[in-house]
Amino acid sequence: MPTKIAEIKLQSTIDERCKVCFLKTYQLLMDEFNADSKQKEHFLAFYQDAMIRHNKLSTPEITRELNNTFCRLIGVPDPFAREKESSNHIALQLYKEWKPKVAASGNPFNLALRLAIAGNIMDYGANNSFDVHQTIDLVMNSDFAIDNSAVLEQKIRDAKSILYIGDNAGEIVFDKLFIETMMHKQVTFAVRGAPVLNDATLSDAAEIGIDTVAKVISNGYDAPSTVLKKCSKEFREVYNSADLIIAKGQGNLEGLIAEHDPRIFFLLMVKCDVIGEILNVKKGSYVVFNQSE
């Protein structure tokens, strides 16, 4: 059954499981960048303070604070630059393989949609490693735990303007293929305002050529999410005027689900129990979710 608005369980404070995930991510980064004991001590002190001081912020907003502090301490502006470059390269190779398959499919929309959701596995914030080829196989042979895809297809046909909010580098290559398959004349594709985790930025969008199928903008904010009150005026204007909004990934879900906006369709793979509990589905599920359905 589709998840109804009344059933959604939103956290008022940071879930303890998210805190463990935060710490694990940045401990691994400290090791990767050979942080010395003083840098590790400073970051751990900031982390402990942030969990208390910023406890009412959303998970993506907390991640922003941790990311900015890590980058300042280590002196690295984009800690996931190498991973993003690799993800884009892998996904572009898969794009060459799957584009003709989508075109020849009996249902190009469904196949391109499934590939877009499969691409959501390319998330170093949630996973230290992943197998995108295996995930594609799984998505191709799985039912969606929440499936509002038929409604989404009709809404795309009816919409005069579409805002498509991207998530991770690499993943956005599959978004490009999905947008091509939509064949809609007015799509705006939004990325993050600055590097955070392995989320896509303007440079990633340019690298994979998504500007050939959509107008590309930044949301003006450096959290791994869409936090409307913090986003740029330009982004909010596009958001407010869009007939349809497609939001990829867990981060965008966390930032936008409380808006209860009937225009938004969330496309994602559920990668943790916290998000699974919010949507009342199992970890590992694939979701096309609209709150009005």
Side-chain angles (χ1 to χ4, degrees):
M1 293 292 292
T3 301
K4 300 296 184 182
I5 293 174
E7 296 172 346
I8 294 169
K9 308 179 188 75
L10 296 175
Q11 297 287 336
S12 59
T13 58
I14 299 296
D15 192 288
E16 291 299 320
R17 291 166 293 182
C18 296
K19 296 179 183 180
V20 172
C21 190
F22 294 150
L23 194 55
K24 179 181 177 182
T25 295
Y26 286 96
Q27 283 175 331
L28 288 170
L29 281 174
M30 287 285 179
D31 291 339
E32 180 181 344
F33 286 93
N34 299 312
D36 59 35
S37 57
K38 188 174 182 179
Q39 289 170 323
K40 291 180 178 179
E41 182 181 335
H42 280 314
F43 184 82
L44 182 58
F46 176 82
Y47 165 83
Q48 291 171 336
D49 181 61
M51 293 306 103
I52 298 170
R53 247 183 339 113
H54 300 307
N55 198 38
K56 297 298 183 182
L57 291 181
S58 65
T59 299
E61 288 173 297
I62 287 282
T63 301
R64 174 186 181 269
E65 298 298 320
L66 296 174
N67 179 77
N68 289 346
T69 298
F70 175 84
C71 292
R72 177 178 55 80
L73 282 173
I74 305 301
V76 178
D78 188 357
F80 287 91
R82 183 178 61 184
E83 288 84 355
K84 291 196 292 182
E85 182 179 0
S86 174
S87 294
N88 285 336
H89 175 74
I90 291 168
L92 284 168
Q93 295 303 309
L94 287 166
Y95 173 88
K96 293 176 184 177
E97 174 187 343
W98 281 96
K99 184 175 181 179
K101 292 181 181 179
V102 169
S105 169
N107 190 339
F109 178 86
N110 181 265
L111 181 53
L113 173 64
R114 287 179 176 273
L115 287 168
I117 292 174
N120 188 231
I121 191 62
M122 306 181 87
D123 182 356
Y124 285 94
N127 305 292
N128 298 324
S129 63
F130 47 78
D131 187 335
V132 67
H133 299 85
Q134 180 185 54
T135 302
I136 289 173
D137 289 340
L138 288 170
V139 176
M140 293 303 153
N141 296 289
S142 299
D143 293 329
F144 294 150
I146 303 173
D147 188 1
N148 298 146
S149 57
V151 181
L152 172 61
E153 187 172 12
Q154 184 60 51
K155 293 289 186 182
I156 290 170
R157 292 195 196 102
D158 295 341
K160 292 181 180 178
S161 62
I162 298 172
L163 171 61
Y164 196 121
I165 307 176
D167 190 14
N168 302 306
E171 176 183 354
I172 63 173
V173 176
F174 298 97
D175 296 327
K176 177 185 176 182
L177 180 55
F178 185 38
I179 292 169
E180 287 175 331
T181 307
M182 288 180 194
M183 293 188 294
H184 195 282
K185 293 182 179 180
Q186 193 168 337
V187 180
T188 300
F189 190 85
V191 295
R192 309 302 186 218
V196 57
L197 300 178
N198 69 310
D199 286 33
T201 61
L202 289 172
S203 61
D204 296 300
E207 180 182 348
I208 65 99
I210 205 162
D211 56 320
T212 63
V213 298
K215 178 183 177 181
V216 180
I217 64 170
S218 159
N219 72 3
Y221 190 55
D222 56 345
S225 180
T226 303
V227 184
L228 286 177
K229 63 184 178 182
K230 302 289 181 66
C231 289
S232 67
K233 179 181 178 183
E234 177 194 18
F235 175 84
R236 292 197 305 271
E237 287 175 348
V238 174
Y239 177 93
N240 289 333
S241 64
D243 295 313
L244 173 65
I245 300 166
I246 297 171
K248 289 294 298 295
Q250 294 191 158
N252 285 321
L253 178 98
E254 289 175 293
L256 291 171
I257 196 168
E259 299 295 324
H260 300 301
D261 191 329
R263 300 174 299 160
I264 301 176
F265 283 76
F266 296 101
L267 276 55
L268 67 146
M269 175 182 178
V270 177
K271 304 184 204 91
C272 71
D273 292 326
V274 175
I275 299 299
E277 289 171 12
I278 289 173
L279 292 175
N280 296 320
V281 301
K282 294 180 180 179
K283 179 181 175 180
S285 297
Y286 310 108
V287 168
V288 180
F289 170 50
N290 174 254
Q291 286 173 290
S292 66
E293 292 303 306

